[in-house]
Amino acid sequence: SSALPKRAENFRNHSERMSKKWNVPAPLILAIMETESSFNPLARSHVPAFGLMQIVPGSAGRDATALVYGRERLLTAQELYQVDTNIEMGAAYLHILDQRYLRAITNPQSRRYCVIAAYNTGAGNVARAFTGKNAVGPAAAIINRMTPAQVFDHLVKHLPFQETRDYMHKVTRALPTYMA
């Protein structure tokens, strides 16, 4: 195995299992985990978002529970501090972003960049970076005419929040660490 950061090693098996279940790359799950919580299962943000993948119960959590449990429900902090639950919700949400909200983006690398941004700020804000509006369809049409590098550059220049612009750099810098 590659020399993973020690804290990441504890979550590699969970990440690989959820990667297979939700068809989301394990390195992406781990890079997001590193960026979101520095691998602290009890992390809590001001939002509040909870756990390893910093799930917000009322937004990503609702989408993910609908997919995972077949119905939307509000997860408690206690549930989101459970490693298995948290990683599954994060992976399920990444799946939703990739396969549902942003599926109109045809280039896989361009879509990956948009998924990373959307994980932090929502698909609507990703669309807004390209068109000024929340609808993904018209934004996807523009994105599909750009190279992945142009998409990345556009996102880090035009995303509505500095936090998300920084987030793009952090996650994409972390990714190679977790590639086998």
Side-chain angles (χ1 to χ4, degrees):
S1 75
S2 58
L4 279 191
K6 217 164 198 43
R7 297 178 77 173
E9 195 56 57
N10 301 327
F11 308 110
R12 186 170 66 184
N13 290 342
H14 297 289
S15 299
E16 286 172 356
R17 205 166 57 250
M18 289 305 129
S19 163
K20 287 182 183 76
K21 182 169 181 181
W22 296 111
N23 192 27
V24 175
L28 180 62
I29 295 171
L30 289 162
I32 284 178
M33 212 181 291
E34 175 188 313
T35 304
E36 289 287 352
S37 69
S38 302
F39 300 107
N40 174 4
L42 300 179
R44 182 184 197 275
S45 76
H46 65 278
V47 172
F50 300 94
L52 288 164
M53 297 192 74
Q54 288 293 282
I55 306 295
V56 179
S59 56
R62 288 168 73 142
D63 278 347
T65 56
L67 180 62
V68 173
Y69 303 128
R71 64 181 179 83
E72 266 189 26
R73 66 188 199 69
L74 226 44
L75 294 165
T76 64
Q78 215 42 53
E79 288 174 293
L80 288 171
Y81 289 141
Q82 300 298 316
V83 169
D84 276 333
T85 302
N86 193 280
I87 296 174
E88 178 150 32
M89 292 306 139
Y93 187 56
L94 286 166
H95 173 89
I96 290 165
L97 291 171
D98 185 58
Q99 300 295 313
R100 189 182 306 166
Y101 296 154
L102 300 169
R103 72 179 178 276
I105 300 168
T106 51
N107 181 290
Q109 186 61 54
S110 295
R111 192 165 66 245
R112 170 82 28 86
Y113 289 142
C114 292
V115 164
I116 291 167
Y119 191 89
N120 179 266
T121 195
N125 279 326
V126 171
R128 181 177 297 269
F130 291 91
T131 63
K133 296 188 171 60
N134 282 347
V136 172
I142 293 167
I143 293 165
N144 288 340
R145 293 193 297 268
M146 300 168 86
T147 67
Q150 289 170 325
V151 171
F152 182 87
D153 289 343
H154 189 92
L155 285 165
V156 297
K157 285 190 188 88
H158 299 283
L159 280 162
F161 304 106
Q162 184 63 46
E163 179 198 326
T164 312
R165 297 193 292 267
D166 295 343
Y167 185 83
M168 291 292 301
H169 287 293
K170 288 178 188 163
V171 174
T172 54
R173 265 199 310 268
L175 260 172
T177 309
Y178 305 108
M179 310 279 232

